[in-house]
Amino acid sequence: MFPRIKNLGGGTFGEDADIFGDTLREVIQHEPQTRDLPFKIQTIGELRNFLIYSDEDIERVSWVVLGINPTVAPEKPPNWGSFPNLRAFWSAVLHAFENDPEVQAGREIDPSM
């Protein structure tokens, strides 16, 4: 039902999320940079639809697709951070994708420029 969200859980938000950043917020901000523009646009659409669901449904889907629990601050790495609930986590992910430079420009940007 949410293939792009599932892809996020199999990548940056998987069990080894801490290799992608020093904090959970860094990982969230970095995630859109690892994807192409069509994926970003599709992810934005999925996340907007996903956030319409109830908190219970968001929790149920999140536990299936995520390899981490973004609502609990782990002991390691230190200062990793957490979110008060899964809706806040997914809203932050949506915000990161919506504010990605390529999404804002409406086109892919050559990183060498």
Side-chain angles (χ1 to χ4, degrees), residues 49-60:
N49 288 333
F50 183 55
L51 289 168
I52 293 170
Y53 285 74
S54 70
D55 289 342
E56 294 80 21
D57 288 335
I58 289 172
E59 185 172 322
R60 187 174 25 261

Side-chain angles (χ1 to χ4, degrees), residues 12-13 17-18 20-33 68 70 74 77-85 87-97:
T12 305
F13 302 127
D18 59 327
F20 295 99
D22 292 329
T23 68
L24 183 53
R25 290 202 185 270
E26 282 181 14
V27 172
I28 290 169
Q29 292 303 313
H30 176 71
E31 172 58 30
Q33 298 167 23
I68 60 170
N79 302 315
W80 176 249
S82 63
F83 285 84
N85 56 56
R87 182 177 298 280
F89 168 75
W90 288 116
S91 294
V93 174
L94 174 60
H95 182 76
F97 273 91

